[in-house]
Amino acid sequence: MRKITIIGTGYVGLVSGGGISDFGNHVTCVDIVESKIKCLQEGEIPIYEPGLKDLIERNVSAGRLSFTTNVDGAIQDADVIFIAVGTPQGDNGEANISAVETVARSIGKNLNGYKVICTKSTVPIGTGDRICELITESMPEGGEFDYVSNPEFLREGSAVKDFLWPDRIVIGATSDKAFEIMRDVYRPLYVNEKPIMHTNVVTAEMIKYAANAFLALKISYINEVANLCEEIGADVHQVAKAMGQDGRISPKFLHPGPGFGGSCFPKDTNAIAALSRRKGTPMNTIDAAIVTNNDQKKRMTQKLKNLVGGDFSNKTFGVLGLAFKPNTDDVRESSSIEMIQSIMDGGGEVRAYDPIANESMKEIFPDLNYCDSWEETCEDVDAMAIMTDWNEFRGMSLEKLKTIMKSPIILDSRNILSVDKLVEYGFQFDNVGRTKVS
Ligand SMILES: NC(=O)c1ccc[n+]([C@@H]2O[C@H](COP(=O)([O-])OP(=O)(O)OC[C@H]3O[C@@H](n4cnc5c(N)ncnc54)[C@H](O)[C@@H]3O)[C@@H](O)[C@H]2O)c1
């Protein structure tokens, strides 16, 4: 059993901790937030992620997984240390790696023998060198390490599945020895013949940014196609479906909507765009995807405003869906934030509901009127906007909805409601690339 420490027990660190212990390793997850570790030690899961509770419980019961705030001790005890702390967007557009740097110094200070240091956080290209420098500067005599970049591709909402059954594992290793140790950590996947790519460190760092930026680009592209569909009377669903049947394009990430959000795409596109400018090879396609995304969020608020006569003031709006996508409680950079802010800035009132993310959104908007169901949210509202495509909203009874709203006006920014049914029940509505406002 290899002894693994994961520093940073957030969406990536906790899922990785569960997954890597499930692969038969002995894992300690560390965090500096005491309440989070206490919660995990008491058997509670601090985030919502389907399947995560079972995964954690299974491995804690088997004695393979534990949680601590003792960073130094956990480093000293481990053979392999994963860095999975946050790298939020800094003021200059690039990722802020101060938490990664803090962890690198702690690792250096506690390096009692040979260890593999592996970064899972998404870090700007070239950060591997900086981490190695910080570890070397602070390590005692006899400290020895190899460095690995092992970017993570899990998606919130299906993170457990993505981690246990990944499409590929990328290992950017500074030595063959470190690569072999990492392959051993992921042994069950290797045995199952999942592709494990051995690259150098900067290539691994680049793979992560290039993949995320491409997906973001695809979303912005289909959003622009949808916007043009509105002008020419085409149906973007049929366009996207036919496009996706071409194997070179694939149907994934061709769903028009209110613009991408979350903790990754916005910051990762900005980071690679900023880096490319700094290196003198600007990525104009990514710059454009970012502009399109910001415009798409504004376009949604404008659509809602148009639906209610061009003015939010003295009106009440239901906002259904707060998470940046379904099956997560994460609201970071969610499109619903801009929608709520615009309504409030325009003098309107908001009734908000998410099946899971109400609590997370309270950290951004503590004083909204939070509700416990879509029915309660839509009671007596002047209009309603669907911002996240939770299945619960797909199944709403339009018949009932019409009786509880003050005015039957809907912005379906996720295109989850049937246009035919909306027409049949007499709703005034708008969506993304399907029909004009009736
Ligand atoms: N969330 C995703 O879907 C996803 C997917 C792939 C990659 N990533 C990348 O993984 C990294 C982590 O993302 P996340 O969403 O898990 O972030 P997160 O904010 O959920 O978790 C980060 C954790 O690190 C902890 N932390 C900060 N400084 C620390 C320190 N010095 N010592 C110990 N713990 C510390 C924080 O308390 C927090 O619990 C980011 O670089 C992100 O870009 C995220």
Side-chain angles (χ1 to χ4, degrees):
M1 251 195 193
R2 287 210 180 266
K3 289 202 278 180
I4 316 278
T5 282
I6 299 182
I7 306 182
T9 307
Y11 287 88
V12 166
L14 186 55
V15 172
S16 304
I20 292 172
S21 54
D22 219 45
F23 297 155
N25 301 286
H26 189 280
V27 177
T28 306
C29 285
V30 191
D31 208 283
I32 45 172
V33 176
E34 285 183 14
S35 56
K36 189 176 271 192
I37 293 300
K38 187 162 180 282
C39 164
L40 285 159
Q41 286 168 339
E42 288 168 357
E44 296 299 321
I45 308 295
I47 55 171
Y48 177 82
E49 191 59 51
L52 185 58
K53 196 168 168 47
D54 283 352
L55 179 71
I56 300 293
E57 278 173 4
R58 181 162 76 234
N59 288 287
V60 168
S61 313
R64 288 191 296 260
L65 179 60
S66 60
F67 305 97
T68 182
T69 51
N70 180 358
V71 181
D72 294 350
I75 294 170
Q76 290 162 15
D77 282 351
D79 308 320
V80 179
I81 297 159
F82 283 86
I83 302 174
V85 295
T87 49
Q89 192 174 313
D91 297 337
N92 58 358
E94 295 202 38
N96 175 345
I97 59 161
S98 58
V100 171
E101 290 177 327
T102 305
V103 170
R105 287 191 193 92
S106 303
I107 292 173
K109 239 176 32 190
N110 291 287
L111 206 67
N112 53 348
Y114 176 81
K115 297 179 196 294
V116 173
I117 314 302
C118 168
T119 299
K120 245 197 194 312
S121 300
T122 305
V123 291
I125 295 144
T127 302
D129 288 345
R130 173 79 182 136
I131 294 173
C132 292
E133 194 180 286
L134 289 170
I135 297 174
T136 308
E137 269 170 28
S138 43
M139 72 187 187
E141 225 170 279
E144 209 193 327
F145 71 97
D146 275 316
Y147 181 75
V148 168
S149 166
N150 171 217
E152 182 49 58
F153 300 99
L154 63 76
R155 296 161 297 176
E156 286 175 30
S158 56
V160 170
K161 186 174 144 285
D162 291 346
F163 196 91
L164 297 178
W165 293 279
D167 293 332
R168 76 307 207 185
I169 307 279
V170 173
I171 297 176
T174 50
S175 75
D176 289 344
K177 179 178 172 186
F179 175 74
E180 289 307 327
I181 291 173
M182 290 302 296
R183 194 156 66 168
D184 198 39
V185 168
Y186 287 110
R187 218 180 100 75
L189 301 180
Y190 168 58
V191 170
N192 284 338
E193 298 187 357
K194 287 286 174 196
I196 298 194
M197 279 187 71
H198 185 179
T199 69
N200 66 20
V201 170
V202 283
T203 304
E205 290 170 344
M206 182 65 185
I207 288 169
K208 175 65 189 173
Y209 277 111
N212 266 10
F214 181 74
L215 294 173
L217 190 62
K218 225 175 153 185
I219 295 173
S220 277
Y221 180 75
I222 199 66
N223 281 340
E224 286 193 326
V225 169
N227 298 343
L228 183 55
C229 281
E230 288 175 6
E231 296 310 315
I232 62 173
D235 184 324
V236 72
H237 273 205
Q238 291 181 324
V239 173
K241 192 169 174 191
M243 281 173 67
Q245 277 158 358
D246 184 329
R248 295 169 302 176
I249 297 174
S250 124
K252 307 245 175 86
F253 281 74
L254 281 185
H255 305 287
F260 56 77
S263 69
C264 293
F265 287 178
K267 91 173 160 62
D268 294 350
T269 45
N270 276 306
I272 193 170
L275 175 80
S276 67
R277 272 193 300 276
R278 186 153 55 75
K279 294 289 177 188
T281 54
M283 294 185 73
N284 298 325
T285 49
I286 304 306
D287 283 335
I290 295 167
V291 172
T292 298
N293 197 53
N294 293 336
D295 288 351
Q296 191 70 1
K297 291 185 180 183
K298 290 193 183 70
R299 190 175 168 92
M300 292 305 117
T301 61
Q302 191 57 47
K303 272 176 182 278
L304 185 63
K305 202 180 256 185
N306 292 347
L307 279 168
V308 294
D311 186 9
F312 287 141
S313 64
N314 302 318
K315 297 187 180 78
T316 304
F317 296 86
V319 174
L320 291 184
L322 305 174
F324 81 95
K325 66 170 173 177
N327 294 320
T328 180
D329 59 351
D330 197 344
V331 298
R332 288 178 281 186
E333 302 286 328
S334 173
S335 305
S336 59
I337 296 173
E338 177 144 350
M339 179 60 80
I340 292 168
Q341 192 63 58
S342 301
I343 295 172
M344 291 186 349
D345 290 348
E349 268 192 45
V350 175
R351 296 168 68 77
Y353 167 65
D354 189 282
I356 296 291
N358 278 6
E359 289 307 312
S360 312
M361 197 55 113
K362 281 180 191 168
E363 286 175 25
I364 299 174
F365 296 113
D367 301 324
L368 286 189
N369 191 344
Y370 289 95
C371 302
D372 292 325
S373 65
W374 64 263
E375 290 96 330
E376 187 191 344
T377 315
C378 296
E379 214 173 289
D380 229 16
V381 294
D382 293 281
M384 173 272 268
I386 298 174
M387 299 305 296
T388 316
D389 43 341
W390 284 95
N391 276 340
E392 187 177 321
F393 304 147
R394 290 177 199 276
M396 280 185 308
S397 156
L398 293 182
E399 194 176 2
K400 182 164 184 192
L401 188 61
K402 193 164 180 204
T403 62
I404 56 184
M405 293 175 77
K406 189 196 281 178
S407 336
I409 300 176
I410 296 180
L411 171 64
D412 179 10
S413 83
R414 295 287 181 173
N415 290 354
I416 60 174
L417 301 180
S418 152
V419 171
D420 290 346
K421 290 272 176 233
L422 286 166
V423 172
E424 185 186 324
Y425 284 104
F427 280 91
Q428 189 191 344
F429 64 93
D430 200 357
N431 51 35
V432 188
R434 301 214 67 189
T435 61
K436 300 282 281 178
V437 182
S438 56

